[in-house]
Amino acid sequence: MDLKKAFDTVDHNILLYKLYNYKIKGIIYDWFRSYLCNRRQYTCIGPNCTEIAYINLGALLLLIYVNDIVLPLIWRIKIYIYRAVPRENIKLFADDTNLFIFDGDSDQLTQRANNCLKDLDNWFKSNKLTLNLYKTYMVFSPRRIFSIKLLLNNVEIEKAHTCEYLGDQMTS
């Protein structure tokens, strides 16, 4: 699953809350807060200066932001939040979230995949992130071709035929 403009849409208040939950406190927490709150920069070479721009989030902070999608439990705003899809295998890499679901029955695979997609979409929405529905799923099957139909908010998601995973091109 690919996130739309992940680096640009991270909510800094949520990120600061997550940093605090990871026990980043004191001077280090204050540094992150200073870095994230309306930090602007510009560059000058001699008399020529660029426009003032807000600093975008780095890859490490994005990973911290999305890391709790796979953690077993977090105490958040007086309620317990469990990992987004507790019985499935999620792998994170930069702004890509990869969910691997295995099942020998295409109907069960379809149901599990749709349930996971709904749960992940809820997690993404609660963290103010948006899935890119045009780069969302592939089916790999060594023995037979599975026909599955993925829906999110009553919109059918088109199956991709190629994708990149950790920089490698994969084809279904």
Side-chain angles (χ1 to χ4, degrees), residues 17-18 21 68 72-82:
Y17 181 81
K18 291 180 182 198
N21 276 322
D68 63 342
L73 177 69
I74 286 187
W75 175 255
R76 182 174 177 194
I77 312 170
K78 298 185 181 179
I79 59 172
Y80 285 104
I81 302 291
Y82 294 90

Side-chain angles (χ1 to χ4, degrees), residues 60-143:
L60 174 62
L61 292 178
L62 178 65
L63 287 175
I64 290 170
Y65 192 81
V66 299
N67 191 53
D68 63 342
I69 199 170
V70 297
L71 294 177
L73 177 69
I74 286 187
W75 175 255
R76 182 174 177 194
I77 312 170
K78 298 185 181 179
I79 59 172
Y80 285 104
I81 302 291
Y82 294 90
R83 62 185 283 180
V85 283
R87 291 178 233 20
E88 304 299 347
N89 187 9
I90 297 176
K91 300 291 182 195
L92 301 174
F93 182 75
D95 65 336
D96 290 324
T97 303
N98 297 280
L99 173 67
F100 297 93
I101 303 173
F102 306 92
D103 205 304
D105 180 282
S106 75
D107 291 335
Q108 288 182 20
L109 179 65
T110 300
Q111 182 178 0
R112 285 176 56 203
N114 276 297
N115 289 339
C116 289
L117 189 59
K118 181 181 173 187
D119 290 343
L120 286 167
D121 187 53
N122 287 334
W123 186 93
F124 288 128
K125 284 178 182 173
S126 71
N127 285 275
K128 299 183 180 181
L129 297 170
T130 305
L131 278 174
N132 183 349
L133 297 181
Y134 299 103
K135 294 169 138 184
T136 299
Y137 86 99
M138 291 184 69
V139 175
F140 297 94
S141 177
R143 295 186 200 117

